[in-house]
Amino acid sequence: MKQKVAAALLAVLCGGCLLPVHAQEEVQQSPSFDFVLLVDGEESWEASCGEIVTVTLRLDRTDADQPYPMYAMQDEIQYDETFFELIPGSAVLADQVTGRDLGGTDEHRAYYMNYLSMGGGDQWAASTIVGTIQLRVIGTSGVARITSRNALVSRKDGTGSEPCTVNEAKVIVSTDCTVRFESRGGNAVPDQTVQYGDKILPPETPSREGHRFAGWYRDIDLTEPWDFEQDVVQNNMTLYAAWTEGEQLPDMASDTGVAVWLVPALAGIAVAVVIVALCRKQAAEHPRKHKQ
């Protein structure tokens, strides 16, 4: 009888121990990754116009320093085509990794690197060079960023992706950055030359027939508004105008909707009100002085 009780207690205790250990193993088996971009081995590189630089994409496992099964991964190395041009045939890719150059909807292009296991996953080292490409610098001044877009490592079942982080690399020709303004149907707005790290001077508000100006954005999809009071220039860039339908209102003195021409008029009215109040006060005080 005692042996049966002891066996039952052992089973309960072992069961209580096995469940947490099993759960812990499942957590440890879910890796996390860092997509690392480097230009000639550095995150920031000084170059001159005409120079050819090598861009490397490395995938690092960040939760452990051990090989792991890779099922699928992708990354788009985005670059400014007004600053760089891809050297044809320069891509060197890891085994079974494919790549192609993609056009964009603005001045950006991207080199797409993709891997898909045709079996049950292939063993990748904890740090793996996914591929390299070469870019010729065609920009004559300023700074250009090279970034990762749509980077992911797929899970085994393909229904999700593992946690990933990305970085950006910079190529510096000079600190004089060019800021372009794309009015998107409005009148032309002159470019500005802005020092790296400085703020942009707000340009004159553009006009467009049948539309109201709705601000400047840093992306062509108009999802990231530019704040002239807070944001600083980090690279050569283009700001895109946003519009809404309707006739343009007069230039605004502030976001409260008070037109510039209305400000002096309101000030004049305020002065008149003060003068009238003073006259009434004096008129009220004079009779009392006369009686005295």
Side-chain angles (χ1 to χ4, degrees):
M1 180 65 180
K2 291 182 180 180
Q3 292 178 346
K4 291 183 178 180
V5 173
L9 289 173
L10 182 61
V12 171
L13 291 173
C14 289
C17 294
L18 288 175
L19 287 175
V21 171
H22 180 65
Q24 184 177 5
E25 288 177 351
E26 287 183 349
V27 172
Q28 291 178 346
Q29 289 176 355
S30 180
S32 57
F33 299 93
D34 188 12
F35 286 83
V36 181
L37 283 173
L38 300 172
V39 178
D40 286 350
E42 305 290 340
E43 288 192 10
S44 181
W45 186 257
E46 294 184 7
S48 58
C49 184
E51 184 176 338
I52 296 176
V53 297
T54 300
V55 180
T56 301
L57 174 63
R58 190 181 75 225
L59 184 62
D60 291 344
R61 182 178 180 180
T62 57
D63 67 297
D65 187 20
Q66 298 175 356
Y68 59 92
M70 171 62 76
Y71 304 101
M73 61 74 58
Q74 69 173 30
D75 189 18
E76 297 176 15
I77 303 175
Q78 183 172 270
Y79 61 94
D80 184 348
E81 67 177 353
T82 67
F83 201 94
F84 301 106
E85 63 178 10
L86 178 68
I87 303 298
S90 65
V92 178
L93 306 174
D95 187 34
Q96 300 184 56
V97 173
T98 60
R100 64 179 184 275
D101 193 38
L102 305 174
T105 54
D106 49 18
E107 72 270 18
H108 291 102
R109 296 187 68 86
Y111 193 87
Y112 177 65
M113 294 186 183
N114 174 67
Y115 170 83
L116 177 63
S117 173
M118 303 308 294
D122 296 312
Q123 287 294 110
W124 277 35
S127 182
T128 299
I129 301 297
V130 180
T132 64
I133 59 173
Q134 289 188 316
L135 300 175
R136 177 179 287 110
V137 178
I138 59 176
T140 57
S141 64
V143 180
R145 295 188 305 164
I146 303 173
T147 60
S148 286
R149 185 179 64 181
N150 297 327
L152 64 84
V153 175
S154 177
R155 291 175 179 161
K156 182 177 181 179
D157 56 9
T159 59
S161 58
E162 305 293 358
C164 297
T165 58
V166 299
N167 76 316
E168 66 177 32
K170 293 181 180 180
V171 173
I172 305 169
V173 172
S174 72
T175 57
D176 301 323
C177 297
T178 300
V179 179
R180 296 176 288 271
F181 297 91
E182 175 53 63
S183 62
R184 301 176 66 245
N187 60 294
V189 178
D191 296 348
Q192 290 186 25
T193 299
V194 182
Q195 286 294 307
Y196 178 87
D198 286 353
K199 297 176 182 177
I200 301 173
L201 182 67
E204 183 177 348
T205 301
S207 61
R208 179 182 176 187
E209 185 176 356
H211 291 77
R212 296 178 183 175
F213 178 69
W216 293 103
Y217 286 73
R218 68 176 73 211
D219 63 315
I220 198 171
D221 296 322
L222 307 180
T223 62
E224 301 178 47
W226 183 266
D227 186 341
F228 289 93
E229 295 294 329
Q230 300 293 332
D231 295 335
V232 297
V233 172
Q234 299 287 332
N235 54 275
N236 292 6
M237 61 183 300
T238 299
L239 293 181
Y240 299 90
W243 302 93
T244 58
E245 292 186 359
E247 291 302 322
Q248 181 71 35
L249 298 175
D251 288 342
M252 312 307 284
S254 68
D255 294 335
T256 60
V258 180
V260 170
W261 60 267
L262 194 56
V263 172
L266 292 175
I269 293 173
V271 172
V273 170
V274 172
I275 293 174
V276 171
L278 290 174
C279 290
R280 287 180 177 178
K281 181 179 180 181
Q282 292 177 355
E285 291 175 348
H286 286 166
R288 288 196 292 271
K289 292 182 179 179
H290 180 71
K291 289 179 181 180
Q292 293 175 355

